[in-house]
Amino acid sequence: MSGSTKSVTFKAMLPNDAVYKSSTGTGKYVDLTGGDRRTTLTAGGLKPSTSYLAHYHKMGTADATDPCKSSGDVVGGVIATMTSDANGALILKGFQTTDALKDAKYINIHEAASLATVPLCAPL
């Protein structure tokens, strides 16, 4: 491996939602020799038995001060898709090329069936 592991903390993006207001999570990623990034996201406080997916995003223009509210385009494709367990917890793991993620400014976790529902986001 090259580089060191970097960690991020997710913040709840739907604080007024009865289910998602207490959602939490962390992310770790490391750039590996050969040009790949390994990402592991751990989340809780989500809806039980619900499919979620995660993306890296570049900075958008909707909010210049908070990357998570900037509505940036997806970069690097989907990190992973996973169904939460009966307690609303999940772990998402994926590999992507570091070149595809060079402009990434945040990671968010969406409901897979409703991409507009974003319970968690972490600025990078």
Side-chain angles (χ1 to χ4, degrees), residues 12-30:
M13 297 300 293
L14 301 170
N16 298 322
D17 185 281
V19 173
Y20 290 129
K21 68 181 177 184
S22 62
S23 58
T24 61
T26 58
K28 292 184 179 186
Y29 58 95
V30 62

Side-chain angles (χ1 to χ4, degrees), residues 2-58:
S2 65
S4 59
T5 300
K6 296 180 182 171
S7 298
V8 295
T9 301
F10 283 96
K11 61 182 179 176
M13 297 300 293
L14 301 170
N16 298 322
D17 185 281
V19 173
Y20 290 129
K21 68 181 177 184
S22 62
S23 58
T24 61
T26 58
K28 292 184 179 186
Y29 58 95
V30 62
D31 293 341
L32 306 169
T33 303
D36 289 326
R37 177 174 289 173
R38 181 184 70 207
T39 304
T40 303
L41 310 176
T42 304
L46 303 173
K47 291 179 181 176
S49 305
T50 301
S51 183
Y52 290 91
L53 61 87
H55 300 276
Y56 282 93
H57 291 260
K58 67 180 183 178

Side-chain angles (χ1 to χ4, degrees), residues 54-56 74-79 96 101:
H55 300 276
Y56 282 93
V74 171
V75 293
V78 174
I79 296 170
Q96 293 157 290
L101 301 174

Side-chain angles (χ1 to χ4, degrees), residues 61-108:
T61 58
D63 186 320
T65 61
D66 184 350
C68 288
K69 295 180 180 178
S70 72
S71 297
D73 291 335
V74 171
V75 293
V78 174
I79 296 170
T81 302
M82 180 65 69
T83 299
S84 58
D85 67 16
N87 296 313
L90 61 78
I91 297 174
L92 297 156
K93 295 180 181 184
F95 284 93
Q96 293 157 290
T97 66
T98 53
D99 188 54
L101 301 174
K102 69 182 184 308
D103 295 325
K105 298 298 182 198
Y106 64 99
I107 302 170
N108 61 17

